[in-house]
Amino acid sequence: QYPPRTFSFSSIYTCRSIGLVRHSSIVTVDVVVDTQTMFATHVTQTVHSSRSSFAGSVASFSTSKTVVRAPVQQLRVEASRVCDLTGKRANNGYVVTFSHKRNKKLQQPNLQYKKVYWPEGQRWVKLRICTKAMKTIEKNGLQSMAKEAGIDLWKLPFEDARPQRKEWLAQQEVKPPMKKNTRKMKNPEKLAASTKTPLKAEYVSGKIAYTRER
């Protein structure tokens, strides 16, 4: 490593070229430069004119790097088209034209999202199965097919169909969802003086209707 060197210069045109002064003046600059990194570490000035300025000194001696980043690509994940119970997947086939040209294609299975009742667990289990598996479930049963496929039915999304659950739901009062009022008054004095009654949601012929009590 070499020791840092000190350079001093006094010139109007040189200072103008690097952006040290804006007006005609005499400027003396002492710069300490490292011979390896070529980076200015100390700058002093002597200005003999009150109208001169030291603008642009930091920008002239600073090393700036432009970082160009690649655009971020969104990750797209698609579920595999495979039956959960039978393992049926796409078949290799051809599209034969009128002139007997063969173009390769995939014959995908007819997969459907189906809620199947599981009598042992007393619940409806959601599966993605093909239409052929629906007939096989009626013949062999859901639990035996899931055991062959290595599927744990207790870990799948479900709807509870126990009689205790149905009784509890029947006893509960059905409350339709209430939309959020963003313009609701927050001043308690104005709320107390208001003559309007609050909105009430109710089901009318299968649809939600919002009415006010009179």
Side-chain angles (χ1 to χ4, degrees):
Q1 296 183 359
Y2 298 96
R5 300 180 181 179
T6 304
F7 301 94
S8 63
F9 54 90
S10 175
S11 175
I12 297 175
Y13 300 101
T14 307
C15 296
R16 283 183 176 179
S17 61
I18 63 175
L20 295 180
V21 294
R22 296 180 181 177
H23 308 285
S24 60
S25 61
I26 300 175
V27 178
T28 303
V29 181
D30 296 334
V31 184
V32 181
V33 182
D34 192 353
T35 56
Q36 291 185 353
T37 61
M38 296 300 294
F39 182 75
T41 58
H42 182 66
V43 178
T44 58
Q45 64 166 347
T46 305
V47 182
H48 297 282
S49 176
S50 60
R51 297 182 60 186
S52 62
S53 62
F54 198 67
S57 61
V58 179
S60 61
F61 289 104
S62 62
T63 57
S64 60
K65 296 182 181 179
T66 304
V67 180
V68 180
R69 297 183 179 180
V72 179
Q73 296 181 357
Q74 294 182 355
L75 181 62
R76 186 178 180 183
V77 180
E78 294 183 359
S80 59
R81 299 183 182 180
V82 181
C83 180
D84 292 341
L85 295 177
T86 61
K88 189 175 182 180
R89 57 182 67 244
N91 182 32
N92 293 324
Y94 294 94
V95 176
V96 183
T97 61
F98 181 77
S99 59
H100 298 284
K101 290 182 181 180
R102 293 187 175 184
N103 301 320
K104 290 184 178 181
K105 68 167 290 186
L106 290 177
Q107 298 173 350
Q108 299 288 349
N110 187 7
L111 298 179
Q112 304 292 332
Y113 286 100
K114 188 73 175 176
K115 290 182 181 179
V116 187
Y117 182 70
W118 181 29
E120 289 79 5
Q122 294 184 350
R123 58 177 59 184
W124 293 88
V125 183
K126 187 177 181 181
L127 292 166
R128 193 184 190 192
I129 55 179
C130 59
T131 52
K132 186 177 181 180
M134 296 179 187
K135 298 180 181 179
T136 315
I137 289 173
E138 297 177 357
K139 181 180 179 181
N140 300 336
L142 177 61
Q143 189 167 356
S144 61
M145 291 189 66
K147 187 176 181 180
E148 293 178 1
I151 298 175
D152 190 1
L153 296 175
W154 293 103
K155 296 182 179 180
L156 296 178
F158 68 97
E159 287 186 7
D160 199 349
R162 295 176 298 171
Q164 299 87 350
R165 177 68 177 177
K166 292 182 178 180
E167 292 177 2
W168 184 84
L169 290 175
Q171 295 175 0
Q172 302 299 320
E173 183 181 357
V174 179
K175 294 182 179 181
M178 187 68 183
K179 63 180 180 179
K180 187 176 180 180
N181 187 8
T182 58
R183 302 180 61 187
K184 185 178 179 180
M185 290 189 298
K186 299 180 180 180
N187 192 346
E189 298 178 358
K190 290 185 178 181
L191 286 172
S194 178
T195 57
K196 289 185 178 179
T197 57
L199 285 173
K200 183 180 179 181
E202 57 184 357
Y203 287 106
V204 177
S205 64
K207 296 183 179 180
I208 301 175
Y210 299 97
T211 58
R212 294 184 184 273
E213 297 180 358
R214 296 183 179 178

